[in-house]
Each structure stands twice: as structure tokens, then as C-alpha cells.
Amino acid sequence: MPIRRLPPQLVNQIAAGEVVERPASVVKELVENSLDAGARALRVEIEGGGARLVRVRDDGCGIPREELALALARHATSKIASLEDLARVRTLGFRGEALPSIASVSRLTLTSRAAGAGEAWRVRADGSDAPLEPEPAAHPPGTTVEVRDLFHNVPARRKFLRTARTETAHVEETLRRVALAAPGVGLVFVRDGRETLRLAPAADREGAERRLAALLGEGFVAHALHVAHAHGGLALEGWIALPAWSRAQADQQYLIVNGRPVRDRLFAHAVRRAYEDVLPHGRQPAWVLRLTLDPEAVDVNAHPAKHEVRFREGRLVFDFVHRTVAEALAAARPGAVAAPAPPPRAVPAQATAARPPGPPPRAAQMGLGVAEAVAAYQALAGSAAADVPAAAQEETVPAAAGDHPLGRPLAQLHGIYVLAEDPEGALVVVDMHAAAERIAYEALKRAWEAGAPASQRLLEPVTVAVSPPEAEAAEAHAAELARLGLELDRTGPDRVRVRALPAALARADAAALARDVLAELAAHGTAATVADRIHEVLATLACHGAVRAGRRLTLEEMDALLREMERTERAGQCNHGRPTWVRIPPGELDRWFHRGR
């Protein structure tokens, strides 16, 4: 077959295969054009999942009569004029392919009235080579693009479309990304004649959070931390959800780079790594983050549909994002964020008797100093609190609950939970083992990062029976384990001797601790070093240093635990990502007992 030039219409239809995958692709391209035109209000309508109709109307700058036909010509754009412009793209669209590609596989009508023009004009295209001639139309300032019968002339493509319900879901997800990326733009979505979404422009953080709640649910906002940090030409702003709002899928992860909603594996991995100490296994974090950087530092031309970007200094971006998110999560300790209240349960009718009038009863006040609290906690869980600054130990803990976010301890329940009253009279319930585990883990991490932690030599070494692979792991990683303060010798094919424990875990069961650490190493193969899996090993160590469920605590020990939680990073979750405490507001308690009705 001889080489020949393809007809322009076939070229457009081939290009449409890259740009127009489904109705949601049409919506994305048209909405991005509207945003580039300076639109402050968008109205999106679809019928039949978008296969039958997609209509996008905006109040942007509009298109003059003499440029209407050119707007449907391939590689015609107002957004770049040189290679230098391509290196610093600031608009969402720039290729000049979207409108002609869509027009080649649909029946398209483009109606527009340019800013300051006295009348509007319209052109129609139906996938043929017929010349486009503008005709007068009635239209307010702005543009409307109407796309009917998508793929009507490409039946092989049309049969790959899913049900109207599935295609609608893809359109909704596209609009969700656009709405998160452009919070200052109002958006109305109409599906099969019924308005299903109306978003007002967000002028401030409060408005942005209302929009977040409408798009991702009230639960996301209730569990979200606001992040805002800039350094070295990079700026990150947005919301990250606490680990309690983790998801089974990565369905609430939204990245906006220089105003463009995109996906990027490097960025997502950086965020995931920041959550590694606090997220349950197999769960995904939820976040909406906006990264701003020099346009020349990011390539937005890496994907035909502009779904992805490529960072020119990926390692710099990774480190910046990881550090920013990790520090925000670390700061989410009691008092910095509110703990979610547990769902209410039915209360027996006989429990609804009213309490006597007047203020609620209060327990006797405690006058426990921090130095005493630290000593009590060290006695409770080894020396996990040993690195509390001396200045802090000289302070005095006032008796009133108002000085501490977690309040003052009241009692212990089932040998597992510490009950406390916070400054607002809410009931705080703490899982004492989970909280102590996090405290011990953070102390071990600090000791590891500062250098080799101190060891506590055993008066008599303990010989432990292990499996041959575990004995081999002890021999292979003896030096690295010693850096953690755990000194082991292999004494036989299936025997090890424990000579020293980390000082923070001096009270731990030496045999059980050695077995668990060696099992962790052996399970991941002898090729993996302790340094590769340092956090997993430290978490295993911390578990043995935590106070065990079933142990009865004194009020002094409970108070010490609460105070140490308030000082500890990431104290809201245990090492496995489960919450360490919940807060039940007074109003919730009143509802349980039908008070105030």
C-alpha cells in the first residue's frame, strides 16, 4: 500500500482516540476550556450518562465570531505561541486538540458571545468535512458547547461505553476533581433534567471546607487536618485525613498541581510513606492537596489527556511532601485535634433518670507534679518517658482538668480503658495499651535517630528456643540489633542467648521480645536488613514495652499516661493505626439519656 496523507477528519478521529475516551473525557476538556476562559460560574448538563448529551455553559470571556470556526480546527489555540510558552504552561488546556477531536466523533454546537460584543454566534459540526459558517444566536456573555450523540459515526467506539449509570459516575468524579481544583468557581450539575449538585464559590477556608463536605462527605472534613507549608519554591496546602478516616481504596486522594487536577505515583507514595507509622495494614489515606511550584519545574505535557505530570526534580518534591505531611500528622496529638466521638448505642430505659440539679459532680482534685507523673509512667511502662526534658519535669500539674486536653483521670474500666473528664466536661476514653505502645514507639524512634539507645544488661542471660531461620536471622543481624539495644548471641542451630535489652524496655519479657523480633526478621527473608525495616522492628519492641491490658492502674499512673500522651507525637493512633482515645461530648451523653427534651 503506498504512503499517502490521511484526510483531516480521519486525523481528528484518531486524535479523539487519545483525548476522548468516554463522556467524562468530553466534560473534562470542555470544563477546562471554560476555566481557561476565566469562567466564574459553570453549568454542566448530561443525558444518558453523557453519551446522548453533554452541555457545558460558562460566563467566561467568550469567542469572537471570526475565531469560532478556527476553535474547531486542529492545533489551533490561544494558549501557547512558542516552545518557551510550552515550557511554562499555566493554562489547563494548550494542545488545541480537544474541540476538533470531540467534533469529529459527535454532533457539536458551539455558541459564544465575546466580552463586549453585541451579539452571539454559533457554529455546528457533525463529524463531516463540511465547512463551518457562523450564524447569529441568542446567548449571554460566555460560551456554551453542546455535544450530542457521542461516537455516532464511530460505532466500534460507542459499543465500549458502559451503562448510563457507570458513565454518569465517571462524569461526577471528573467534576469532583474540577471542583476541588477550582474552589472559587461556582458549579451546577444537572443529570437527566434533575439538578444533583450546586456548589457556591469558596472565598475562604470555611467556604472551601463546606465544598469539601459536599464533595467528600462531612466525615472527611470532621477528620481532616489543614496543611499549609512552603519551602524552597514549593508550597503545599490542603487537607489530610486522620488515620481513623482511612479507606479500603485510594478513592479519596486528590492532587492539584498548579491548579491542574492530576495523578502522580511519586507524590502519592510520598504521602503514603508519611502515614506508614499510623495507618492500619492494607488501608489507604485520604487527602486533598494542592502543590504549587515553578511551571518550568513540572512537565504537564507527559500525557495526551493531561492526567499526569512529570516533576523535573522528583526527589526534591518527594522529600518536601513526605516531610510536610509527616510533620502535620506528628503534630496531631491530644489537644491539637479533636478525637471523633464513637457512634451512640441504645441506652436502657431505666438508665434515663435525671441527675440532681446543679453542676455535675466532680471527683477529688489531684495535685500530681509532672516529675511524679514521669516517675509513675516510667514505673508503669519501663522508661518510655525517660527523654522528657528536665524543664518540663520541673513544672507543676495543676489539679483542674482545664489545663490538660485529655483532662483528669476518673477510673479504669475492664483493666483496658482509662476514663477521664476533659476541660469541657466531655468523657474521654483511652485504650491504655494502645496509648502506651505509641508512647514507647515514639521514644524508641527518638533514641534510634539520636544514636544507639542505651542497653540494660541482664543479670543472667536468657536462653531462648527459636526456629533455625530465626537463629540465622539473629546471627546475620546481631550488630544491627545491638544498635537497637538488643544483644543476642546464637548458641546453637535453634538457640539464642539474650544478654541485654533496650533500656526503655528493661521490664519486658526477654524471651518473648527476642522471639517476636526474630520472627519479624525471618518472615521478610535474610536478605532484608534491620535498617530496611527499622520501624517494624521498633514497633515490635514497643509492643513489649507497653502496659498490658488487665493491669490495674492507680490514679497517679493514669494521670501520667494522659500527660505523656499529650506530649507524644502521633498519640492519637497506636502503631497499627487504631485510635488510642475517643471523646464523648456532654451533649451526646445527654442525648443518650434523653435529657433536655
Side-chain angles (χ1 to χ4, degrees):
M1 182 177 293
I3 298 174
R4 57 175 178 258
R5 189 180 299 276
L6 294 176
Q9 198 62 16
L10 180 56
V11 170
N12 285 339
Q13 289 175 339
I14 292 172
E18 294 182 337
V19 177
V20 185
E21 178 186 3
R22 61 193 338 143
S25 308
V26 174
V27 172
K28 173 184 179 294
E29 297 293 344
L30 298 184
V31 166
E32 287 182 351
N33 279 345
S34 294
L35 294 177
D36 285 342
R40 306 304 297 170
L42 289 170
R43 181 181 178 88
V44 179
E45 302 173 60
I46 68 169
E47 293 177 7
R52 191 161 64 245
L53 170 69
V54 170
R55 183 186 293 120
V56 176
R57 170 172 288 194
D58 67 55
D59 62 349
C61 64
I63 304 172
R65 177 191 185 281
E66 60 274 14
E67 296 180 12
L68 273 182
L70 190 59
L72 297 180
R74 186 166 168 78
H75 296 156
T77 179
S78 63
K79 300 169 187 178
I80 59 171
S82 67
L83 188 61
E84 289 72 22
D85 292 339
L86 189 61
R88 296 185 60 84
V89 172
R90 297 179 181 274
T91 52
L92 298 175
F94 53 88
R95 292 170 174 264
E97 293 178 343
L99 280 177
S101 296
I102 296 169
S104 71
V105 293
S106 69
R107 307 184 201 281
L108 184 145
T109 303
L110 171 61
T111 308
S112 189
R113 178 177 168 185
E119 57 185 341
W121 295 86
R122 174 184 295 128
V123 292
R124 304 177 191 271
D126 60 3
S128 69
D129 292 328
L132 305 177
E133 187 62 35
E135 60 187 43
H139 194 279
T143 301
T144 295
V145 182
E146 185 177 281
V147 177
R148 291 187 178 274
D149 303 326
L150 186 63
F151 301 136
H152 74 96
N153 54 351
V154 192
R157 295 284 306 279
R158 190 175 181 90
K159 70 180 182 181
F160 280 97
L161 293 181
R162 303 303 181 186
T163 65
R165 187 173 189 175
T166 298
E167 296 301 338
T168 296
H170 284 286
V171 171
E172 290 172 337
E173 177 61 20
T174 296
L175 292 178
R176 188 175 296 115
R177 292 180 178 276
V178 169
L180 292 171
V185 178
L187 174 64
V188 175
F189 177 50
V190 178
R191 183 184 68 198
D192 296 318
R194 184 170 64 90
E195 182 180 301
T196 61
L197 180 67
R198 179 175 288 271
L199 297 174
D204 51 25
R205 178 174 158 186
E206 182 180 353
E209 290 183 348
R210 283 196 300 270
R211 178 173 280 219
L212 274 177
L215 294 168
L216 302 183
E218 295 283 355
F220 176 88
V221 176
H223 291 80
L225 303 174
H226 185 255
V227 175
H229 180 61
H231 179 74
L234 300 172
L236 190 67
E237 187 271 335
W239 290 263
I240 58 175
L242 291 169
W245 191 250
S246 65
R247 316 278 294 178
Q249 307 294 331
D251 60 339
Q252 287 195 353
Q253 297 180 359
Y254 295 94
L255 167 62
I256 297 107
V257 176
N258 289 350
R260 180 189 305 276
V262 295
R263 295 185 292 266
D264 184 74
R265 283 178 291 185
L266 178 140
F267 187 100
H269 182 53
V271 177
R272 185 70 176 79
R273 284 285 303 276
Y275 274 85
E276 65 184 354
D277 278 353
V278 293
L279 208 62
H281 179 70
R283 303 290 291 179
Q284 292 286 339
W287 44 267
V288 176
L289 291 170
R290 182 186 302 270
L291 179 66
T292 305
L293 70 170
D294 187 333
E296 289 192 355
V298 57
D299 179 8
V300 300
N301 201 23
H303 189 280
K306 306 181 290 295
H307 290 308
E308 301 171 5
V309 294
R310 184 185 298 116
F311 297 110
R312 303 200 188 281
E313 295 187 60
R315 187 69 209 182
L316 179 67
V317 171
F318 181 95
D319 291 342
F320 171 75
V321 172
H322 175 265
R323 183 173 62 253
T324 300
V325 176
E327 289 176 355
L329 290 170
R333 64 191 74 186
V337 297
R345 295 182 178 273
V347 180
Q350 60 266 29
T352 60
R355 61 174 176 253
R362 293 187 175 270
Q365 294 182 342
M366 298 171 56
L368 185 67
V370 171
E372 300 169 57
V374 171
Y377 185 72
Q378 289 173 338
L380 172 67
S383 303
D387 59 349
V388 175
Q393 297 187 23
E394 295 172 359
E395 298 174 3
T396 301
V397 176
D403 297 296
H404 299 293
L406 291 180
R408 54 192 178 83
L410 303 175
Q412 188 179 7
L413 184 65
H414 300 315
I416 300 175
Y417 304 107
V418 171
L419 308 182
E421 181 186 9
D422 80 356
E424 297 178 2
L427 175 65
V428 174
V429 184
V430 175
D431 182 330
M432 67 183 196
H433 173 74
E437 187 175 350
R438 169 57 69 179
I439 292 168
Y441 179 40
E442 293 297 328
L444 285 168
K445 283 201 301 182
R446 288 193 296 271
W448 168 263
E449 292 163 1
S455 295
Q456 175 68 54
R457 301 197 68 81
L458 302 180
L459 293 177
E460 292 187 9
V462 176
T463 299
V464 185
V466 296
S467 69
E470 290 167 352
E472 292 173 5
E475 184 175 16
H477 303 299
E480 294 156 307
L481 290 172
R483 284 189 61 207
L484 291 169
L486 179 61
E487 296 183 17
L488 302 176
D489 294 332
R490 186 180 186 181
T491 60
D494 57 358
R495 293 287 189 277
V496 297
R497 182 181 293 120
V498 185
R499 296 188 177 277
L501 297 177
L505 308 178
R507 297 174 180 270
D509 182 324
L513 177 60
R515 287 193 192 97
D516 282 358
V517 170
L518 294 178
E520 176 81 30
L521 290 176
H524 294 98
T526 55
T529 65
V530 175
D532 291 334
R533 310 196 64 85
I534 187 63
H535 285 174
E536 289 90 336
V537 176
L538 290 176
T540 301
L541 292 171
C543 187
H544 286 269
V547 59
R548 294 299 176 185
R551 177 172 174 182
R552 307 305 302 183
L553 306 183
T554 65
L555 280 178
E556 288 80 7
E557 289 173 328
M558 294 181 212
D559 187 82
L561 180 64
L562 298 180
R563 303 293 78 81
E564 193 63 25
M565 287 177 67
E566 292 164 351
R567 286 189 291 270
T568 300
E569 293 182 344
R570 306 174 184 86
Q573 295 80 36
C574 76
N575 305 344
H576 313 291
R578 294 187 294 270
T580 59
W581 64 292
V582 296
R583 179 180 184 272
I584 305 173
E588 186 68 24
L589 292 172
D590 288 341
R591 281 193 293 274
W592 290 2
F593 293 95
H594 306 292
R595 295 186 58 81
R597 295 186 179 179

